Amino acid sequence: MKISYNWLKQFIKTDWSAEQTGELLTDLGLEVEGIDAFQSVKGGLEGIVVGEVLTCIQHPNADRLKITTVNIGAETPVQIVCGAPNVDAGQKVPVATIGTTLYTETGEAWTIKKGKIRGEESFGMICAEDELGLGKSHDGIMVLDADLKVGTPVADIFDVENDLVFEIGLTPNRSDAMSHYGTARDLRAGLLQKEIHSELITPSVSSFHVNNRSFRIDVDVQNKELAPRYCGVSISGIKVEESPEWLKNRLKAIGLTPKNNVVDATNYVLHDLGQPLHAFDYNKISGQKVIVKTVEAGTKFTTLDGIERTLHEDDLMICDAEKPMCIAGVFGGAQSGVTENTTNIFLESAYFNPVSVRKTAKRYGLNTDASFRFERGIDPNLCEYALKRAALLIVELAGGEISSEIEDSYSNKIEDFQVRLSFDNAKRLIGEEIPKDVIKRILMSLDIKINNVTETGLGLTVPAYRNDVQREADVIEEILRVYGYNNVKTTEKLNASISNSSRFEDHKIQNKIGNQLAAQGFYEIMANSLTSPDYVGLSEQLKAEHNISMLNPLSNDLSVLRQSLLFSGLEAVSHNINRRRPNLKFFEFGKTYHHYNENREEFKHLSLFVTGNKSTETWNSAPLKGDFFYMKGIINTVLERLGLTRFRTSPISNDIFSEGLQLGLGKTKLVEFGLVKSSILKHFDISQEVLFADFNWDAIIDLVKHNKTKYTEIAKHPEVRRDFALLLDDQVSFEEIFTIAKQTEKQLLKDVNLFDVYQGKNLPEGKKSYAVSFILQDEQKTLTDKQIDKIMNKLQSNFESKLGAELR
């Protein structure tokens, strides 16, 4: 939000510097993010002086140029080459001296330098209107009043406004401060706390009176819930033209482009008082009737930007007897707006339901100055005053007469808030006892009425425009921000309690695994839980009826809560690949959300994504691609770090994978992983393979809490390794070998490992060769050859009988 300091000082007189004022506003909660200088004429006409043309002769080397000598108030006249057709001796002209900076229409700066033009020296520039920013004419140089004194700065002649503009980062709850008046109201409270008494000056509307009643408009508010208050008045005989300079400068200072005197007046009052207004062309209102209502879904309506929109059944519209004219509180219509031919207007000032305006604005992706204020809640009691203020301003700028009584529909008055403040609670929350008279003074400076006073507290009435102050805690916050957070002393003694927390807290385990994955080259991502409803169509496992939809979505692409971490992760993968980062390893801790049997449930997950090369390319090694077994190894390290080792492997039934596996303990599914289907990757414009793992984090946390870690001494006796080269059928898996080996020797067999696989030449068809190592160890004594041979013979016999294996 931009606030002009000159404009602000119309409401409150202060001689403080802009820097001091900005610091106080920030202390009050209106954080000033920056202060920018504004000049109605860019450059402020600095370096431009009044000069008198003494002589003017034809340039010897150019037909369209002339050589002049100009008195600019210096000791000697200067020579200036000029190409304007109207330059002549005896004229008083604006001269840009050497070193002066001028600006083009696009704002580009250029500096006047000494130079030669077609062989003749030139020491400055005689300027036209557009070159100075004082107009648009470039027909010739600007000729000034002959009575002006030579050498006078041109900035002293023309009304150049210099202003300082505050950029305020307004928090959404402070709807009361969305104007110069609201900001001045806060500034007054802050100055009063510093013992500086400043009066808040409000524009008078006492001169408002009805001239005639010949342009009456009937107002019919059919939906009073969405439009609690609606005011309007007619003005006839106006002339739509360009606004005066003072008004254009006010609007330009805060970044608005002036349109015409009527529209500019409504925009001025909007930013002046915080009350949005809208002017309708009276002659375009069918039946001289305004109806505030919702219309049928599917109704077509063209807004001021020329876009035809299809209306929703919940959109509140301002209509005439035949058609919609305006989306209430959001955007005007193309057919009813003020044009240069408008002579009569109907001026609207209203209070619309904030929730309704916000939903409508988001539905169409519109964010206007009006909707910005309506959706946060404006002052319902300001409508009539702001209407009179705007009507008087329009009559002043555009002429005309007030031609109807004010129509004011306000049947259900929005009441002020009643709040009880306890002095003890204020002391407890603030951490310091503020004197009672200071509390009263602060509340009164904020227009909060004190109804009754007791030893223990105050009975208060909070004005309706402070819709963020409805509880005792809100009132205490108001007291504290005006009193000053920096004025609350820090105690010398700080008390803190130490809580007993389990080492199995979710965040602790997350940190442990997160650090491990980061050490393995993974980067953590944090995706939005809101996603597109279309993603459920990419997998039969997901159902549209299980989506949890937002009542007020930010956009259609962010309208439901995600049912899977896969798609938001693929968005991140696609984003990086499109920026030439094809080698990625991501992990995310996040939740999924589901609507099951009328219940809403959420589940915690850990997801991993691997694509491209698993390591950086170097001069002495070829890049290695991240494959299925690399992902399995990462998953094993995660589970082992958590103490989960003896899990089972089973085929996967999830249709998001072209191939994959599932790991579990008992009936508990721990993780699904595999290669994502190319059809899903194509949806995200990904052409390379992506590996995805989905950990059931809730189940893992539960298992970890009940998993007991066993400690054993390091064995004193050596372990022994023996190897088998087994000829097996293709369908035999290593898991079967592992299981049979463990069943054969439960005590002395410590580990079984597959270290080589061979298929192809010199092997029978349908066969493969596994090289398997067996680690044997007795923790009480050294194993003998006889014991070892006995175990190995038994293993061989079981492999032959159960798997049809042969020793090679």
Side-chain angles (χ1 to χ4, degrees), residues 75-322:
E75 293 182 1
T76 57
V78 296
Q79 178 173 293
I80 299 176
V81 176
C82 180
N86 64 329
V87 64
D88 202 359
Q91 293 174 333
K92 296 288 180 67
V93 293
V95 178
T97 56
I98 300 297
T100 299
T101 300
L102 297 178
Y103 297 87
T104 65
E105 288 185 4
T106 58
E108 296 179 8
W110 58 287
T111 304
I112 301 296
K113 299 178 181 179
K114 173 186 174 182
K116 281 189 177 182
I117 302 177
R118 293 291 184 93
E120 297 293 335
E121 289 187 323
S122 184
F123 297 89
M125 175 178 170
I126 304 175
C127 302
E129 279 185 9
D130 63 334
E131 292 165 337
L132 296 178
L134 294 173
K136 297 182 179 180
S137 173
H138 195 70
D139 295 334
I141 61 167
M142 191 175 185
V143 180
L144 303 176
D145 191 333
D147 295 332
L148 292 174
K149 183 179 178 181
V150 171
T152 302
V154 172
D156 296 344
I157 303 170
F158 295 96
D159 188 15
V160 178
E161 179 161 352
N162 293 287
D163 198 358
L164 292 169
V165 181
F166 301 109
E167 183 68 47
I168 295 179
L170 194 69
T171 52
N173 64 307
R174 291 304 309 277
S175 59
D176 63 294
M178 293 187 297
S179 65
H180 288 77
Y181 176 62
T183 304
R185 199 162 42 197
D186 254 24
L187 184 58
R188 177 192 61 174
L191 290 172
L192 186 61
Q193 180 60 23
K194 295 183 178 296
E195 305 295 336
I196 301 173
H197 295 266
S198 297
E199 182 183 356
L200 190 62
I201 304 167
T202 54
S204 174
V205 294
S206 59
S207 61
F208 180 89
H209 67 280
V210 178
N211 300 104
N212 59 71
R213 294 169 177 80
S214 54
F215 286 84
R216 184 174 180 273
I217 289 286
D218 290 327
V219 174
D220 179 14
V221 181
Q222 296 184 2
N223 195 321
K224 297 184 183 298
E225 181 182 353
L226 300 186
R229 188 172 191 183
Y230 189 90
C231 303
V233 71
S234 297
I235 306 174
S236 64
I238 66 169
K239 183 178 181 181
V240 178
E241 56 187 4
E242 189 175 347
S243 297
E245 288 300 320
W246 72 266
L247 178 54
K248 291 195 289 186
N249 289 339
R250 284 282 180 266
L251 297 179
K252 287 178 182 178
I254 59 173
L256 297 182
T257 302
K259 304 293 184 184
N260 57 59
N261 49 6
V262 175
V263 174
D264 292 348
T266 59
N267 282 335
Y268 179 83
V269 175
L270 165 66
H271 292 275
D272 193 54
L273 301 175
Q275 171 66 51
L277 304 112
H278 189 71
F280 299 92
D281 189 321
Y282 180 92
N283 298 334
K284 297 177 182 177
I285 302 176
S286 300
Q288 280 67 59
K289 189 171 186 178
V290 167
I291 306 171
V292 184
K293 63 178 182 177
T294 55
V295 297
E296 291 184 3
T299 301
K300 302 295 184 181
F301 180 70
T302 303
T303 47
L304 277 171
D305 55 4
I307 298 175
E308 185 180 72
R309 304 177 190 275
T310 303
L311 299 178
H312 189 273
E313 58 187 4
D314 294 331
D315 295 333
L316 184 66
M317 304 296 295
I318 311 300
C319 307
D320 60 19
E322 299 176 356

Side-chain angles (χ1 to χ4, degrees), residues 560-612:
V560 299
L561 290 169
R562 61 182 176 181
Q563 292 190 51
S564 171
L565 269 62
L566 171 64
F567 308 116
S568 53
L570 289 178
E571 288 175 350
V573 170
S574 175
H575 180 87
N576 280 272
I577 290 174
N578 290 337
R579 284 153 182 80
R580 303 181 66 84
R581 296 182 62 88
N583 305 318
L584 305 169
K585 291 189 285 187
F586 291 153
F587 74 94
E588 179 187 9
F589 290 99
K591 290 185 177 181
T592 60
Y593 306 86
H594 312 266
H595 192 220
Y596 294 143
N597 301 322
E598 303 303 323
N599 295 319
R600 294 183 175 90
E601 299 183 27
E602 61 182 50
F603 304 102
K604 190 76 169 284
H605 296 259
L606 164 64
S607 63
L608 304 181
F609 294 87
V610 173
T611 185

Side-chain angles (χ1 to χ4, degrees), residues 566-785:
L566 171 64
F567 308 116
S568 53
L570 289 178
E571 288 175 350
V573 170
S574 175
H575 180 87
N576 280 272
I577 290 174
N578 290 337
R579 284 153 182 80
R580 303 181 66 84
R581 296 182 62 88
N583 305 318
L584 305 169
K585 291 189 285 187
F586 291 153
F587 74 94
E588 179 187 9
F589 290 99
K591 290 185 177 181
T592 60
Y593 306 86
H594 312 266
H595 192 220
Y596 294 143
N597 301 322
E598 303 303 323
N599 295 319
R600 294 183 175 90
E601 299 183 27
E602 61 182 50
F603 304 102
K604 190 76 169 284
H605 296 259
L606 164 64
S607 63
L608 304 181
F609 294 87
V610 173
T611 185
N613 298 329
K614 65 182 180 181
S615 59
T616 306
E617 184 179 3
T618 61
W619 66 273
N620 61 352
S621 62
L624 298 176
K625 187 177 180 182
D627 56 14
F628 187 90
F629 296 100
Y630 172 71
M631 175 65 92
K632 184 178 180 183
I634 295 294
I635 293 169
N636 286 341
T637 61
V638 170
L639 295 177
E640 289 172 3
R641 183 71 179 87
L642 296 170
L644 305 175
T645 53
R646 302 189 182 280
F647 40 79
R648 59 175 175 78
T649 303
S650 59
I652 202 167
S653 59
N654 199 322
D655 67 345
I656 64 174
F657 299 110
S658 58
E659 54 181 280
L661 289 176
Q662 175 178 296
L663 305 182
L665 277 175
K667 296 183 178 180
T668 304
K669 180 180 68 176
L670 297 181
V671 58
E672 293 180 338
F673 73 98
L675 198 62
V676 181
K677 277 188 174 180
S678 58
S679 59
I680 295 177
L681 297 180
K682 185 178 180 181
H683 185 85
F684 294 90
D685 196 26
I686 299 173
S687 57
Q688 61 191 60
E689 292 183 347
V690 177
L691 291 150
F692 169 65
D694 182 16
F695 289 79
N696 183 354
W697 192 254
D698 290 325
I700 288 173
I701 292 296
D702 188 59
L703 288 171
V704 168
K705 289 179 179 179
H706 299 92
N707 189 41
K708 294 182 179 180
T709 302
K710 296 180 179 179
Y711 298 91
T712 57
E713 292 184 3
I714 297 176
K716 298 178 181 179
H717 302 280
E719 61 182 28
V720 176
R721 169 174 168 161
R722 291 289 187 269
D723 298 341
F724 275 165
L726 299 173
L727 185 64
L728 302 160
D729 291 336
D730 275 341
Q731 67 270 22
V732 175
S733 66
F734 171 70
E735 185 177 7
E736 293 176 272
I737 297 173
F738 183 90
T739 302
I740 293 172
K742 285 293 186 179
Q743 291 173 348
T744 302
E745 178 54 56
K746 297 180 180 180
Q747 292 184 347
L748 301 181
L749 183 60
K750 301 301 181 183
D751 195 16
V752 182
N753 182 50
L754 176 64
F755 64 89
D756 186 45
V757 177
Y758 176 73
Q759 288 178 293
K761 189 177 179 181
N762 299 327
L763 290 183
E765 186 177 351
K767 296 289 184 177
K768 62 183 175 182
S769 174
Y770 272 8
V772 184
S773 65
F774 302 89
I775 305 299
L776 304 170
Q777 185 181 45
D778 189 334
E779 297 176 0
Q780 305 300 323
K781 60 184 179 180
T782 301
L783 289 172
T784 64
D785 289 340

Side-chain angles (χ1 to χ4, degrees), residues 353-424:
N353 182 285
V355 175
S356 171
V357 173
R358 178 171 176 78
K359 286 183 177 180
T360 299
K362 294 299 179 185
R363 191 175 293 128
Y364 302 114
L366 294 171
N367 183 22
T368 61
D369 285 336
S371 67
F372 179 81
R373 286 157 178 79
F374 276 126
E375 67 188 28
R376 286 162 174 78
I378 61 171
D379 183 0
N381 299 316
L382 193 65
C383 293
E384 184 180 3
Y385 171 76
L387 183 67
K388 291 180 178 179
R389 169 82 170 118
L392 289 172
L393 186 57
I394 290 173
V395 170
E396 176 189 338
L397 300 174
E401 297 178 330
I402 308 297
S403 299
S404 74
E405 296 286 353
I406 290 179
E407 296 287 337
D408 189 0
S409 173
Y410 194 22
S411 55
N412 298 319
K413 185 177 180 182
I414 298 174
E415 300 294 336
D416 295 337
F417 309 108
Q418 303 298 319
V419 181
R420 175 73 185 174
L421 172 67
S422 166
F423 292 131
D424 288 340

